[in-house]
Amino acid sequence: MTLQDNALMRLAPTLAPEDLRQEFLVTGLFQPGEIRVHWWETDRTVLGAAVPLSTSLALPVPRGLRAAYFLERREAGVINLGGPGVVTVDGTGYPMDTHDALYLGRGCRAVEFTSRSESNPARFWLQSYPAHAPLPVTHVAFKDVKGERLGARESSNERTLFKLIHPGRVATCQLVMGFTRLEPGSVWNSLPPHTHLRRSEVYLYFNLPPGQMVVHLMGEMQATRHLIVRDGEAVLSPPWSIHCGAGSSSYSFVWCMGGENQEFADMDPAPVAELR
């Protein structure tokens, strides 16, 4: 845990609501005709969104990376949450249907995002971490992914988990990525809550109807806080923080992790009965 993470862990129980949102909630990334990225110091995470319309959008090189190109020393995962599109990597185009994923290895120089239709644009979500080795670009077609059913209707957390970029399917340095879809009538995600001290995670909530919300629980197990989250907004979950939530309707969320351990089951439970 970094000194900054340790300081935030100690401060989180006392932060005012707006300060809590400033530290742990990222909004406004999905903008038509733009690509926007956000830097998070924990695990040197970069997250972002691209919504191309009539023209392609090139992956920029934020000054903070001090790199010749975005993926000079990094890897990235991309998932398409909108209409059909294409991601072009060093001249090779990869068609991206809804919920398709693409792994970009270290050393990919030119990356462009394109929509097939301006009236039904692609909505690309991107997350990136440092990479110690170059690995091949890999496309994951959603139609080939078998979901894992979790939860139960009786506990309002019936959901399907889709592992898109993970060990056994795609070789990565540290990135693991997928999404979870809640069934109609279910509202709770990630129950029972947990932490994973060997990696951080970002939740991107999507498919939330207009006017609806998710109450995302975070913080230490004995000092929980909450964030009100809308469609297309992302929650930054440091290793020390629990993460779960309940929505005012059903919804989906992308989860993406980076850190020391890629083992999906490497987590420490936070029993509901012990939350405060």
Side-chain angles (χ1 to χ4, degrees):
M1 186 184 300
T2 67
L3 288 175
Q4 183 178 34
D5 284 336
N6 188 58
L8 276 176
M9 181 179 69
R10 294 175 181 276
L11 285 173
T14 64
L15 288 175
E18 192 53 43
D19 293 332
L20 196 74
R21 292 173 63 85
Q22 183 70 29
E23 292 291 346
F24 299 105
L25 187 67
V26 183
T27 67
L29 291 179
F30 286 94
Q31 299 297 325
E34 296 184 28
I35 180 168
R36 294 189 176 187
V37 296
H38 178 88
W39 170 269
W40 184 29
E41 291 84 354
T42 301
D43 288 318
R44 301 184 62 80
T45 308
V46 178
L47 49 144
V51 187
L53 297 178
S54 60
T55 58
S56 299
L57 298 173
L59 184 62
V61 187
R63 292 183 61 185
L65 295 186
R66 297 290 177 90
Y69 51 96
F70 188 98
L71 295 168
E72 183 179 14
R73 300 183 298 271
R74 305 182 70 86
E75 63 182 355
V78 178
I79 179 171
N80 181 17
L81 305 177
V86 177
V87 178
T88 303
V89 184
D90 293 334
T92 300
Y94 296 88
M96 297 282 287
D97 289 331
T98 304
H99 298 152
D100 281 6
L102 188 68
Y103 172 74
L104 306 175
R106 193 185 82 179
C108 296
R109 287 180 170 270
V111 180
E112 290 191 345
F113 302 92
T114 306
S115 292
R116 295 287 193 189
S117 169
E118 184 176 356
S119 61
N120 183 29
R123 291 166 58 86
F124 295 107
W125 176 252
L126 174 142
Q127 205 158 318
S128 172
Y129 297 96
H132 65 271
L135 294 169
V137 176
T138 306
H139 176 258
V140 179
F142 178 64
K143 63 181 178 61
D144 298 330
V145 177
K146 183 178 181 180
E148 179 181 352
R149 298 299 294 268
L150 300 171
R153 183 174 301 177
E154 292 76 12
S155 50
S156 302
N157 67 344
E158 191 176 16
R159 60 202 191 275
T160 305
L161 182 144
F162 299 96
K163 297 178 182 178
L164 301 178
I165 300 175
H166 69 100
R169 179 184 292 273
V170 180
T172 74
C173 293
Q174 58 173 308
L175 183 145
V176 180
M177 188 181 208
F179 76 96
T180 299
R181 181 174 62 206
L182 273 73
E183 299 300 319
S186 287
V187 296
W188 278 100
N189 73 64
S190 303
L191 280 179
H194 57 270
T195 61
H196 25 72
L197 291 175
R198 286 151 293 281
R199 60 189 178 211
S200 58
E201 187 168 12
V202 175
Y203 272 23
L204 170 75
Y205 288 97
F206 69 102
N207 284 349
L208 258 172
Q212 303 302 313
M213 67 177 182
V214 171
V215 180
H216 181 97
L217 300 181
M218 61 154 296
E220 293 184 274
M221 187 168 61
Q222 297 291 315
T224 59
R225 301 295 305 272
H226 76 272
L227 297 164
I228 301 298
V229 188
R230 309 292 180 179
D231 186 66
E233 297 182 343
V235 176
L236 309 177
S237 187
W240 50 266
S241 177
I242 69 160
H243 39 278
C244 67
S248 57
S249 73
S250 56
Y251 55 92
S252 300
F253 63 98
V254 175
W255 43 265
C256 188
M257 297 175 278
E260 183 179 338
N261 193 348
Q262 291 181 305
E263 184 63 39
F264 188 84
D266 179 18
M267 57 186 71
D268 300 301
V272 172
E274 299 180 19
L275 298 181
R276 298 290 184 270

